[in-house]
Coordinates of all heavy atoms in Angstrom, one line a residue:
M1 N 0.8 -1.2 0.0 CA 0.0 0.0 0.0 C 0.9 1.2 0.0 O 1.8 1.4 0.8 CB -0.9 0.0 1.2 CG -1.9 1.0 1.3 SD -3.0 0.9 2.7 CE -4.6 0.9 1.9
T2 N 0.6 2.1 -0.9 CA 1.4 3.4 -1.0 C 0.7 4.5 -0.2 O -0.4 4.4 0.3 CB 1.5 3.8 -2.5 OG1 0.2 4.1 -3.0 CG2 2.2 2.7 -3.3
K3 N 1.4 5.7 -0.1 CA 0.9 6.8 0.6 C -0.4 7.2 -0.1 O -1.4 7.6 0.5 CB 1.9 7.9 0.6 CG 1.3 9.1 1.3 CD 2.4 10.2 1.7 CE 3.3 10.6 0.7 NZ 4.1 11.8 1.0
A4 N -0.4 7.2 -1.4 CA -1.7 7.6 -2.2 C -2.8 6.6 -1.9 O -4.0 7.1 -1.7 CB -1.4 7.6 -3.7
D5 N -2.5 5.4 -1.8 CA -3.6 4.4 -1.3 C -4.1 4.7 0.0 O -5.3 4.6 0.3 CB -3.0 3.0 -1.4 CG -2.7 2.5 -2.8 OD1 -3.2 3.1 -3.8 OD2 -1.8 1.6 -2.9
I6 N -3.2 5.0 1.0 CA -3.6 5.4 2.3 C -4.5 6.6 2.3 O -5.5 6.6 3.0 CB -2.4 5.5 3.3 CG1 -1.7 4.2 3.4 CG2 -2.7 6.2 4.6 CD1 -0.3 4.4 4.1
V7 N -4.1 7.6 1.6 CA -4.9 8.8 1.5 C -6.2 8.6 1.0 O -7.2 9.1 1.5 CB -4.1 9.9 0.7 CG1 -5.0 11.1 0.3 CG2 -2.9 10.4 1.5
S8 N -6.3 7.8 -0.1 CA -7.6 7.5 -0.7 C -8.5 6.7 0.3 O -9.7 7.0 0.4 CB -7.4 6.6 -1.9 OG -6.7 7.4 -2.9
A9 N -7.9 5.7 1.0 CA -8.7 5.0 1.9 C -9.3 5.8 3.1 O -10.4 5.7 3.5 CB -7.9 3.8 2.5
I10 N -8.4 6.7 3.6 CA -8.8 7.6 4.7 C -9.9 8.5 4.2 O -10.9 8.8 4.9 CB -7.6 8.3 5.3 CG1 -6.7 7.3 6.1 CG2 -8.1 9.4 6.3 CD1 -5.4 7.9 6.5
A11 N -9.7 9.1 3.1 CA -10.7 10.1 2.5 C -12.0 9.4 2.2 O -13.1 10.0 2.5 CB -10.1 10.6 1.2
K12 N -12.0 8.1 1.8 CA -13.2 7.4 1.5 C -13.9 7.1 2.9 O -15.2 7.2 3.0 CB -12.9 6.1 0.8 CG -14.1 5.3 0.4 CD -13.7 4.1 -0.5 CE -14.8 3.3 -0.9 NZ -14.4 2.1 -1.7
K13 N -13.2 6.7 3.9 CA -13.8 6.3 5.2 C -14.3 7.6 5.9 O -15.4 7.5 6.5 CB -12.8 5.7 6.1 CG -12.7 4.2 6.0 CD -11.7 3.7 7.1 CE -11.7 2.2 7.0 NZ -10.8 1.6 8.1
T14 N -13.6 8.7 5.9 CA -14.0 9.8 6.7 C -14.9 10.9 5.9 O -15.6 11.7 6.5 CB -12.8 10.5 7.2 OG1 -12.0 11.0 6.1 CG2 -12.0 9.7 8.1
G15 N -14.8 10.8 4.6 CA -15.5 11.8 3.8 C -14.8 13.1 3.7 O -15.3 14.1 3.1
I16 N -13.6 13.2 4.2 CA -12.8 14.4 4.0 C -12.1 14.4 2.7 O -11.7 13.3 2.2 CB -11.7 14.5 5.2 CG1 -12.4 14.4 6.5 CG2 -10.8 15.7 5.0 CD1 -11.4 14.2 7.7
D17 N -11.9 15.6 2.1 CA -11.3 15.6 0.8 C -9.8 15.1 0.8 O -9.2 15.3 1.8 CB -11.4 17.0 0.0 CG -10.7 18.0 0.8 OD1 -11.0 18.2 2.1 OD2 -9.9 18.8 0.3
K18 N -9.3 14.6 -0.3 CA -8.0 14.0 -0.4 C -6.9 15.0 -0.1 O -5.9 14.6 0.5 CB -7.7 13.4 -1.7 CG -8.5 12.1 -1.9 CD -8.2 11.4 -3.3 CE -8.9 10.2 -3.5 NZ -8.6 9.5 -4.8
S19 N -7.0 16.2 -0.5 CA -5.9 17.2 -0.3 C -5.7 17.4 1.2 O -4.6 17.5 1.7 CB -6.2 18.5 -1.0 OG -7.4 19.1 -0.5
T20 N -6.8 17.5 2.0 CA -6.7 17.7 3.5 C -6.1 16.5 4.1 O -5.2 16.6 5.0 CB -8.1 17.9 4.0 OG1 -8.7 19.1 3.3 CG2 -8.0 18.3 5.5
V21 N -6.5 15.3 3.6 CA -6.0 14.0 4.2 C -4.5 13.9 3.9 O -3.7 13.5 4.7 CB -6.8 12.8 3.7 CG1 -6.1 11.5 4.2 CG2 -8.2 12.9 4.1
L22 N -4.1 14.3 2.7 CA -2.7 14.2 2.2 C -1.9 15.1 3.1 O -0.7 14.7 3.6 CB -2.5 14.6 0.8 CG -1.1 14.6 0.2 CD1 -0.5 13.2 0.3 CD2 -1.1 15.1 -1.2
T23 N -2.3 16.4 3.4 CA -1.6 17.3 4.2 C -1.5 16.7 5.6 O -0.4 16.8 6.2 CB -2.4 18.6 4.3 OG1 -2.6 19.1 3.0 CG2 -1.7 19.7 5.1
S24 N -2.5 16.1 6.2 CA -2.4 15.5 7.5 C -1.4 14.3 7.5 O -0.7 14.3 8.5 CB -3.8 15.0 7.9 OG -4.7 16.0 8.0
V25 N -1.4 13.4 6.6 CA -0.5 12.3 6.5 C 0.9 12.8 6.4 O 1.8 12.4 7.1 CB -0.9 11.4 5.4 CG1 0.2 10.3 5.1 CG2 -2.2 10.7 5.6
E26 N 1.2 13.8 5.5 CA 2.5 14.4 5.4 C 3.0 15.1 6.6 O 4.1 15.0 7.0 CB 2.6 15.3 4.2 CG 2.5 14.5 2.9 CD 2.6 15.4 1.6 OE1 2.4 16.6 1.8 OE2 2.8 14.8 0.5
S27 N 2.1 15.8 7.3 CA 2.4 16.4 8.6 C 2.8 15.4 9.6 O 3.7 15.6 10.4 CB 1.2 17.3 9.0 OG 0.9 18.3 8.1
F28 N 2.0 14.3 9.7 CA 2.3 13.2 10.6 C 3.7 12.7 10.4 O 4.5 12.5 11.3 CB 1.3 12.1 10.5 CG 1.6 10.9 11.4 CD1 1.5 10.9 12.7 CD2 2.1 9.8 10.7 CE1 1.8 9.8 13.5 CE2 2.4 8.6 11.5 CZ 2.3 8.7 12.8
T29 N 4.0 12.4 9.2 CA 5.3 11.8 8.9 C 6.5 12.7 9.2 O 7.5 12.4 9.7 CB 5.4 11.3 7.4 OG1 5.1 12.3 6.5 CG2 4.5 10.1 7.2
E30 N 6.3 14.0 8.8 CA 7.3 15.0 9.2 C 7.5 15.2 10.6 O 8.6 15.3 11.1 CB 6.9 16.4 8.5 CG 7.2 16.4 7.0 CD 8.6 16.2 6.7 OE1 9.5 16.7 7.3 OE2 8.8 15.4 5.7
T31 N 6.4 15.1 11.4 CA 6.5 15.3 12.9 C 7.3 14.1 13.4 O 8.1 14.3 14.3 CB 5.1 15.4 13.5 OG1 4.4 16.5 12.9 CG2 5.2 15.6 15.0
V32 N 7.0 12.9 13.0 CA 7.7 11.7 13.4 C 9.2 11.8 13.1 O 10.0 11.5 13.9 CB 7.1 10.4 12.8 CG1 7.9 9.2 13.1 CG2 5.7 10.2 13.4
K33 N 9.5 12.2 11.9 CA 10.9 12.4 11.4 C 11.7 13.3 12.3 O 12.7 13.1 12.8 CB 11.0 12.8 10.0 CG 10.6 11.7 8.9 CD 10.8 12.4 7.6 CE 10.1 11.5 6.5 NZ 10.2 12.2 5.2
E34 N 11.0 14.5 12.5 CA 11.6 15.6 13.3 C 11.9 15.1 14.8 O 12.9 15.4 15.4 CB 10.8 16.8 13.3 CG 10.8 17.5 12.0 CD 9.8 18.7 11.9 OE1 9.2 19.0 13.0 OE2 9.6 19.2 10.8
S35 N 10.9 14.4 15.3 CA 11.0 13.8 16.7 C 12.1 12.8 16.8 O 12.9 12.9 17.8 CB 9.7 13.2 17.1 OG 9.8 12.6 18.4
L36 N 12.2 11.9 15.8 CA 13.3 11.0 15.8 C 14.7 11.6 15.6 O 15.7 11.2 16.3 CB 13.1 9.8 14.8 CG 11.9 9.0 15.0 CD1 11.7 8.0 13.9 CD2 12.0 8.2 16.3
K37 N 14.8 12.7 14.8 CA 16.0 13.4 14.6 C 16.5 14.0 15.9 O 17.7 14.1 16.2 CB 15.9 14.5 13.6 CG 15.9 14.0 12.2 CD 15.8 15.2 11.2 CE 15.6 14.8 9.8 NZ 15.4 15.9 8.9
S38 N 15.5 14.5 16.7 CA 15.9 15.1 18.0 C 16.2 14.1 19.1 O 16.5 14.5 20.2 CB 14.8 16.1 18.4 OG 13.7 15.5 18.7
G39 N 15.9 12.8 18.8 CA 16.2 11.8 19.8 C 15.0 11.4 20.6 O 15.2 10.5 21.5
D40 N 13.8 11.9 20.3 CA 12.6 11.5 21.0 C 12.0 10.4 20.3 O 11.8 10.4 19.1 CB 11.6 12.7 21.1 CG 12.2 13.9 21.9 OD1 13.0 13.6 22.8 OD2 11.9 15.0 21.6
N41 N 11.4 9.5 21.1 CA 10.7 8.3 20.5 C 9.2 8.7 20.4 O 8.7 9.6 21.1 CB 10.8 7.1 21.4 CG 12.2 6.5 21.4 OD1 13.0 6.7 20.5 ND2 12.6 5.9 22.5
V42 N 8.5 8.1 19.4 CA 7.1 8.4 19.3 C 6.3 7.1 19.6 O 6.5 6.1 19.0 CB 6.8 8.8 17.8 CG1 5.3 9.0 17.6 CG2 7.6 10.0 17.4
Y43 N 5.4 7.2 20.5 CA 4.6 6.1 21.0 C 3.1 6.2 20.6 O 2.5 7.2 21.0 CB 4.7 5.9 22.5 CG 6.1 5.8 23.1 CD1 6.7 6.9 23.6 CD2 6.8 4.6 22.9 CE1 8.0 6.8 24.1 CE2 8.1 4.5 23.4 CZ 8.7 5.6 23.9 OH 10.0 5.5 24.4
L44 N 2.6 5.3 19.9 CA 1.2 5.3 19.5 C 0.5 4.0 20.1 O 0.7 2.9 19.6 CB 1.1 5.2 17.9 CG 1.7 6.4 17.2 CD1 1.6 6.2 15.7 CD2 1.0 7.7 17.6
R45 N -0.2 4.2 21.2 CA -0.8 3.1 21.9 C -1.7 2.3 21.0 O -2.5 2.8 20.3 CB -1.6 3.7 23.1 CG -2.0 2.6 24.1 CD -2.7 3.2 25.3 NE -1.8 4.1 26.0 CZ -1.0 3.7 27.0 NH1 -1.0 2.4 27.4 NH2 -0.2 4.5 27.6
G46 N -1.5 1.0 21.1 CA -2.3 0.1 20.2 C -1.8 -0.2 18.8 O -2.2 -1.0 18.1
F47 N -0.8 0.7 18.4 CA -0.2 0.6 17.1 C 1.3 0.2 17.2 O 1.7 -0.8 16.6 CB -0.4 1.9 16.3 CG 0.1 1.8 14.9 CD1 -0.5 1.0 14.0 CD2 1.3 2.5 14.5 CE1 0.0 0.9 12.6 CE2 1.7 2.4 13.2 CZ 1.1 1.6 12.3
G48 N 2.1 1.0 17.8 CA 3.5 0.7 18.0 C 4.3 1.9 18.3 O 3.8 3.0 18.6
S49 N 5.6 1.8 18.3 CA 6.6 2.8 18.7 C 7.5 3.0 17.5 O 8.1 2.1 17.0 CB 7.3 2.5 19.9 OG 6.4 2.2 21.0
F50 N 7.8 4.3 17.2 CA 8.9 4.7 16.3 C 10.0 5.0 17.3 O 9.9 6.0 18.0 CB 8.5 5.9 15.4 CG 7.4 5.6 14.5 CD1 6.1 5.8 14.8 CD2 7.7 5.0 13.3 CE1 5.0 5.6 13.9 CE2 6.7 4.7 12.3 CZ 5.4 5.0 12.7
I51 N 11.1 4.3 17.2 CA 12.2 4.5 18.1 C 13.5 4.7 17.4 O 13.6 4.4 16.2 CB 12.4 3.3 19.1 CG1 12.6 2.0 18.3 CG2 11.2 3.2 20.0 CD1 12.8 0.8 19.2
V52 N 14.5 5.2 18.1 CA 15.9 5.4 17.6 C 16.7 4.3 18.3 O 16.9 4.3 19.5 CB 16.4 6.8 17.8 CG1 17.9 6.9 17.3 CG2 15.5 7.8 17.2
K53 N 17.3 3.4 17.4 CA 18.2 2.4 18.0 C 19.7 2.8 17.7 O 20.0 3.5 16.7 CB 18.0 1.1 17.3 CG 16.7 0.4 17.7 CD 16.7 -1.0 17.0 CE 15.4 -1.7 17.5 NZ 15.4 -3.1 17.0
T54 N 20.6 2.4 18.6 CA 22.0 2.7 18.4 C 22.7 1.4 18.0 O 22.6 0.4 18.7 CB 22.6 3.2 19.7 OG1 21.9 4.4 20.1 CG2 24.1 3.6 19.5
R55 N 23.4 1.5 16.8 CA 24.1 0.3 16.4 C 25.6 0.4 16.9 O 26.1 1.5 16.8 CB 24.2 0.3 14.9 CG 22.8 -0.1 14.2 CD 22.7 -1.6 14.0 NE 21.4 -2.0 13.6 CZ 21.1 -2.4 12.4 NH1 22.0 -2.4 11.5 NH2 19.9 -2.7 12.1
A56 N 26.1 -0.6 17.4 CA 27.4 -0.6 18.0 C 28.5 -0.5 16.9 O 28.2 -0.8 15.7 CB 27.7 -1.9 18.8
K57 N 29.7 -0.1 17.3 CA 30.8 0.0 16.4 C 31.2 -1.4 16.0 O 31.2 -2.3 16.8 CB 32.0 0.7 17.1 CG 33.2 0.8 16.2 CD 34.3 1.6 16.9 CE 35.2 0.6 17.6 NZ 36.4 1.3 18.2
K58 N 31.5 -1.6 14.7 CA 31.9 -2.9 14.2 C 32.9 -2.9 13.2 O 33.2 -1.8 12.5 CB 30.7 -3.7 13.8 CG 30.0 -3.1 12.6 CD 28.7 -4.0 12.3 CE 27.9 -3.3 11.2 NZ 26.7 -4.0 10.9
T59 N 33.6 -4.0 13.0 CA 34.6 -4.1 11.9 C 34.1 -4.9 10.7 O 33.3 -5.9 10.9 CB 35.8 -4.9 12.4 OG1 36.3 -4.3 13.7 CG2 36.9 -5.0 11.5
A60 N 34.3 -4.3 9.5 CA 33.8 -4.9 8.3 C 35.0 -5.1 7.3 O 36.0 -4.5 7.5 CB 32.7 -4.1 7.7
R61 N 34.7 -5.8 6.3 CA 35.7 -6.0 5.3 C 35.3 -5.5 3.9 O 34.1 -5.7 3.5 CB 36.1 -7.5 5.1 CG 36.6 -8.1 6.4 CD 37.6 -9.0 6.3 NE 38.5 -9.1 5.2 CZ 39.8 -8.6 5.2 NH1 40.3 -8.0 6.2 NH2 40.5 -8.8 4.1
N62 N 36.2 -4.8 3.2 CA 35.9 -4.4 1.8 C 36.5 -5.5 1.0 O 37.8 -5.6 0.8 CB 36.6 -3.1 1.5 CG 36.3 -2.6 0.2 OD1 35.9 -3.4 -0.7 ND2 36.5 -1.3 -0.1
I63 N 35.7 -6.4 0.4 CA 36.2 -7.6 -0.3 C 37.0 -7.2 -1.5 O 38.0 -7.9 -1.9 CB 35.0 -8.6 -0.6 CG1 34.4 -9.0 0.7 CG2 35.5 -9.7 -1.4 CD1 33.1 -9.7 0.5
S64 N 36.5 -6.2 -2.2 CA 37.2 -5.9 -3.5 C 38.6 -5.4 -3.3 O 39.5 -5.6 -4.1 CB 36.4 -4.9 -4.3 OG 36.2 -3.7 -3.6
K65 N 38.8 -4.6 -2.2 CA 40.2 -4.1 -2.0 C 40.9 -4.9 -0.9 O 42.1 -4.6 -0.6 CB 40.0 -2.6 -1.5 CG 39.5 -1.7 -2.5 CD 39.5 -0.3 -1.9 CE 38.9 0.6 -3.0 NZ 38.8 2.0 -2.5
N66 N 40.3 -5.9 -0.3 CA 40.8 -6.7 0.7 C 41.3 -5.9 1.9 O 42.4 -6.1 2.4 CB 41.9 -7.7 0.2 CG 42.2 -8.8 1.1 OD1 41.3 -9.2 1.9 ND2 43.4 -9.4 1.0
T67 N 40.5 -5.0 2.4 CA 40.9 -4.1 3.5 C 39.9 -4.2 4.6 O 38.7 -4.6 4.3 CB 41.0 -2.7 3.0 OG1 39.8 -2.2 2.5 CG2 42.1 -2.5 2.1
T68 N 40.3 -3.9 5.8 CA 39.4 -3.8 6.9 C 38.9 -2.4 7.2 O 39.8 -1.5 7.2 CB 40.0 -4.4 8.2 OG1 40.5 -5.8 7.9 CG2 39.1 -4.4 9.3
I69 N 37.7 -2.2 7.4 CA 37.2 -0.9 7.7 C 36.4 -1.0 9.0 O 35.8 -2.0 9.4 CB 36.3 -0.2 6.6 CG1 35.1 -1.2 6.3 CG2 37.1 -0.1 5.3 CD1 34.1 -0.6 5.3
I70 N 36.4 0.2 9.7 CA 35.7 0.2 11.0 C 34.4 1.1 10.7 O 34.5 2.3 10.3 CB 36.5 0.8 12.1 CG1 37.7 -0.1 12.3 CG2 35.6 1.1 13.3 CD1 38.6 0.4 13.4
I71 N 33.2 0.5 11.0 CA 32.0 1.2 10.9 C 31.7 1.8 12.3 O 31.5 1.0 13.3 CB 30.8 0.3 10.5 CG1 31.2 -0.3 9.1 CG2 29.6 1.1 10.4 CD1 30.2 -1.3 8.6
P72 N 31.6 3.1 12.4 CA 31.4 3.7 13.8 C 30.0 3.4 14.3 O 29.1 3.1 13.6 CB 31.7 5.2 13.5 CG 31.4 5.4 12.1 CD 31.8 4.1 11.4
E73 N 29.9 3.7 15.6 CA 28.6 3.6 16.2 C 27.6 4.6 15.6 O 28.0 5.8 15.3 CB 28.7 3.9 17.7 CG 27.4 3.8 18.4 CD 27.6 4.1 19.9 OE1 27.5 5.3 20.3 OE2 27.9 3.2 20.7
H74 N 26.4 4.2 15.2 CA 25.5 5.1 14.6 C 24.1 4.8 15.0 O 23.8 3.7 15.5 CB 25.6 5.1 13.1 CG 25.4 3.7 12.5 ND1 26.3 2.7 12.5 CD2 24.3 3.2 11.8 CE1 25.8 1.6 11.9 NE2 24.6 1.9 11.5
K75 N 23.1 5.7 14.7 CA 21.8 5.6 15.1 C 20.9 5.3 13.9 O 21.2 5.8 12.9 CB 21.2 6.8 15.9 CG 22.0 7.0 17.1 CD 21.5 8.3 17.9 CE 22.3 8.4 19.1 NZ 21.7 9.3 20.1
I76 N 19.9 4.5 14.1 CA 19.0 4.2 13.0 C 17.5 4.2 13.5 O 17.3 3.9 14.7 CB 19.2 2.7 12.4 CG1 19.1 1.7 13.4 CG2 20.6 2.7 11.7 CD1 18.9 0.3 12.9
P77 N 16.6 4.6 12.6 CA 15.2 4.6 13.0 C 14.7 3.2 12.9 O 15.1 2.4 12.2 CB 14.5 5.5 12.0 CG 15.4 5.4 10.8 CD 16.8 5.2 11.3
A78 N 13.7 2.9 13.8 CA 13.1 1.6 13.8 C 11.6 1.7 14.2 O 11.2 2.7 14.9 CB 13.9 0.6 14.8
F79 N 10.9 0.6 13.9 CA 9.5 0.6 14.4 C 9.3 -0.7 15.2 O 9.7 -1.8 14.7 CB 8.5 0.6 13.1 CG 7.1 0.4 13.5 CD1 6.4 1.5 14.1 CD2 6.4 -0.8 13.3 CE1 5.1 1.3 14.4 CE2 5.1 -0.9 13.7 CZ 4.4 0.1 14.3
K80 N 8.7 -0.6 16.3 CA 8.4 -1.8 17.2 C 6.9 -1.8 17.3 O 6.2 -0.9 18.0 CB 9.1 -1.6 18.5 CG 8.8 -2.8 19.4 CD 9.5 -2.6 20.7 CE 9.2 -3.8 21.6 NZ 9.7 -3.6 23.0
P81 N 6.2 -2.8 16.7 CA 4.8 -2.9 16.8 C 4.3 -3.2 18.2 O 5.0 -4.0 18.9 CB 4.4 -4.0 15.8 CG 5.6 -4.8 15.5 CD 6.8 -3.9 15.8
A82 N 3.1 -2.8 18.5 CA 2.5 -3.1 19.8 C 2.0 -4.5 19.8 O 1.7 -5.1 18.8 CB 1.3 -2.1 20.1
K83 N 1.9 -5.1 21.0 CA 1.4 -6.5 21.2 C 0.0 -6.7 20.6 O -0.2 -7.7 19.9 CB 1.5 -7.0 22.6 CG 2.9 -7.1 23.1 CD 2.9 -7.5 24.6 CE 4.4 -7.6 25.1 NZ 4.4 -8.0 26.5
V84 N -0.9 -5.7 20.8 CA -2.2 -5.8 20.3 C -2.2 -5.9 18.8 O -2.9 -6.6 18.1 CB -3.1 -4.6 20.8 CG1 -4.4 -4.6 20.1 CG2 -3.1 -4.6 22.3
F85 N -1.4 -5.0 18.2 CA -1.2 -5.0 16.7 C -0.6 -6.3 16.2 O -1.1 -6.8 15.2 CB -0.3 -3.8 16.3 CG -0.1 -3.6 14.9 CD1 -1.2 -3.5 14.0 CD2 1.2 -3.5 14.4 CE1 -1.0 -3.4 12.6 CE2 1.4 -3.4 13.0 CZ 0.3 -3.3 12.1
L86 N 0.4 -6.8 16.9 CA 0.9 -8.1 16.4 C -0.1 -9.2 16.5 O -0.2 -10.1 15.5 CB 2.1 -8.5 17.3 CG 3.4 -7.8 17.0 CD1 4.5 -8.1 18.1 CD2 4.0 -8.1 15.6
K87 N -0.9 -9.3 17.5 CA -1.9 -10.3 17.6 C -2.9 -10.2 16.5 O -3.4 -11.2 15.9 CB -2.6 -10.2 19.0 CG -1.9 -10.8 20.1 CD -2.8 -10.8 21.3 CE -2.1 -11.5 22.5 NZ -2.9 -11.4 23.7
S88 N -3.3 -9.0 16.1 CA -4.3 -8.8 15.1 C -3.8 -9.2 13.7 O -4.5 -9.6 12.8 CB -4.8 -7.4 15.1 OG -3.8 -6.5 14.6
V89 N -2.5 -9.1 13.5 CA -1.9 -9.4 12.2 C -1.7 -10.9 12.1 O -1.9 -11.5 11.0 CB -0.5 -8.7 12.0 CG1 0.2 -9.2 10.8 CG2 -0.7 -7.2 11.9
K90 N -1.4 -11.6 13.2 CA -1.2 -13.0 13.2 C -2.5 -13.6 13.1 O -3.0 -14.5 12.5 CB -0.5 -13.5 14.5 CG 1.0 -13.1 14.6 CD 1.6 -13.6 15.8 CE 3.0 -13.2 15.9 NZ 3.7 -13.7 17.1

């Protein structure tokens, strides 16, 4: 399902025009992105959590040059679904 499909489904369910729904969906995603950039997690009860995980420093190999490189510790965004949501999907 794409963002356009989500906007169409919400507009159909609520009766709100698509442009308003699109603005709301884009505002939601921007707010989540900004929150994660600042280091704050986003919790949606019954749906899940958008969290920032820290990956540890590790050693990797560049096979083509046969060299070892060190990948520094870094942060990545992640989604952890709620237990209620997991049960409904299973």
Side-chain angles (χ1 to χ4, degrees):
M1 185 175 235
T2 64
K3 182 167 45 171
D5 295 335
I6 292 170
V7 168
S8 295
I10 293 172
K12 188 176 179 181
K13 271 188 176 179
T14 61
I16 301 171
D17 61 305
K18 287 184 180 182
S19 62
T20 306
V21 174
L22 178 62
T23 303
S24 298
V25 170
E26 287 180 347
S27 296
F28 172 76
T29 57
E30 283 301 315
T31 303
V32 170
K33 287 180 195 177
E34 289 171 8
S35 179
L36 293 177
K37 280 182 190 176
S38 67
D40 298 328
N41 295 332
V42 178
Y43 304 102
L44 300 173
R45 190 173 300 268
F47 184 68
S49 304
F50 295 94
I51 58 175
V52 178
K53 287 185 175 182
T54 303
R55 292 270 171 104
K57 180 176 97 171
K58 62 183 174 182
T59 305
R61 301 219 20 104
N62 183 344
I63 297 171
S64 62
K65 294 181 181 178
N66 198 23
T67 58
T68 302
I69 58 173
I70 295 176
I71 300 173
E73 182 179 88
H74 59 283
K75 296 181 180 196
I76 59 163
F79 177 75
K80 182 180 178 185
K83 290 180 183 179
V84 175
F85 179 55
L86 281 175
K87 281 184 178 180
S88 68
V89 172
K90 288 182 181 181

